[in-house]
Amino acid sequence: GAVVSQHPSRVICKSGTSVKIECRSLDFQATTMFWYRQFPKQSLMLMATSNEGSKATYEQGVEKDKFLINHASLTLSTLTVTSAHPEDSSFYICSAPGTSPNTGELFFGEGSRLTVL
Amino acid sequence: GENVEQHPSTLSVQEGDSAVIKCTYSDSASNYFPWYKQELGKRPQLIIDIRSNVGEKKDQRIAVTLNKTAKHFSLHITETQPEDSAVYFCAASTGTSYGKLTFGQGTILTVHP
């Protein structure tokens, strides 16, 4: 099956710094990737849709200037949390649709746990 | 947009019992309904899915039923085992935005030996 790899798995940073999270599709090309945020014991909330070669589409309430998304190639999307604050601490997880047509299955990365001190 | 409601939020059963988790969705255009299992600190894993042209689908101990008229779908796990303990999420997609899923709130399933 399709494999999505995410890095880093854990990151701790100081308040005010920026953190970059990478999401790679290892054995397939992904023109679209999705970035989710998950608070402890809560559901996955879609933050934005990353589109290769064009601007990301952000969900309502998500600050595009704070959560910068770049989809530089068909196998890489990055999420940069700029000027991070403690309230940004969360589990961030990316996903990509598989290549089979007529399926909506998403393949998830391992997730990145961000802790902002 | 789509809204998915999931119940119960927690479910505790004895090993060997059955577990049922229910979800409702709001968008009648939704046509794809997957269920994901997520263990603590790990990525969600697809366990079963169903499309709107099918009423029921079964895979060993896991089954999903869909009622399009009522806009609800359910996950059924029979002969539960302790390793079934995890958080389960239902989701829905209209298919117009390929792969874009709206998730339910999740159900913490605990299977007691």
Side-chain angles (χ1 to χ4, degrees):
Chain A
V3 178
V4 176
S5 179
Q6 194 170 337
H7 178 81
S9 58
R10 292 178 182 273
V11 57
I12 300 173
C13 70
K14 293 182 179 179
S15 186
T17 60
S18 295
V19 174
K20 179 185 285 187
I21 301 169
E22 294 187 345
C23 180
R24 295 181 184 273
S25 55
L26 297 186
D27 52 357
F28 68 104
Q29 293 181 334
T31 56
T32 300
M33 289 185 176
F34 301 97
W35 285 95
Y36 288 87
R37 182 174 183 175
Q38 186 177 31
F39 289 107
K41 298 185 179 181
Q42 294 191 24
S43 187
L44 294 94
M45 299 301 297
L46 180 65
M47 298 175 64
T49 302
S50 173
N51 304 298
E52 189 271 335
S54 64
K55 291 182 179 180
T57 304
Y58 289 81
E59 295 300 303
Q60 190 174 8
V62 178
E63 299 175 60
K64 59 181 67 176
D65 293 332
K66 180 165 189 63
F67 299 100
L68 300 180
I69 290 173
N70 183 273
H71 201 137
S73 73
L74 289 171
T75 59
L76 174 64
S77 175
T78 61
L79 168 68
T80 301
V81 183
T82 63
S83 186
H85 291 283
E87 57 265 31
D88 298 323
S89 299
S90 187
F91 190 60
Y92 293 88
I93 190 164
C94 68
S95 65
T99 54
S100 298
N102 300 319
T103 70
E105 182 176 1
L106 282 184
F107 295 91
F108 286 88
E110 302 94 328
S112 299
R113 185 162 300 284
L114 170 63
T115 302
V116 185
L117 302 177
Chain B
E2 174 67 278
N3 182 51
V4 178
E5 297 287 333
Q6 182 173 345
H7 299 280
S9 57
T10 60
L11 180 59
S12 183
V13 300
Q14 288 296 127
E15 183 176 3
D17 288 350
S18 295
V20 180
I21 304 171
K22 299 181 178 181
C23 288
T24 60
Y25 60 99
S26 62
D27 191 343
S28 58
S30 289
N31 57 10
Y32 175 67
F33 308 91
W35 286 87
Y36 284 84
K37 176 182 180 182
Q38 185 180 30
E39 297 179 359
L40 188 63
K42 296 188 176 180
R43 75 184 88 192
Q45 298 275 8
L46 179 72
I47 56 172
I48 196 168
D49 56 12
I50 192 168
R51 295 203 162 270
S52 58
N53 58 347
V54 177
E56 184 174 359
K57 184 177 179 181
K58 189 174 182 179
D59 182 5
Q60 299 183 342
R61 297 187 296 109
I62 295 173
V64 57
T65 58
L66 171 65
N67 183 325
K68 286 174 53 180
T69 304
K71 289 190 283 188
H72 67 70
F73 55 113
S74 301
L75 176 71
H76 304 254
I77 306 174
T78 59
E79 301 173 29
T80 54
Q81 302 166 2
E83 50 265 39
D84 293 330
S85 298
V87 182
Y88 291 81
F89 292 99
C90 63
S93 170
T94 63
T96 55
S97 182
Y98 186 54
K100 183 176 179 179
L101 296 175
T102 300
F103 285 86
Q105 295 85 349
T107 297
I108 302 172
L109 173 64
T110 303
V111 181
H112 299 282

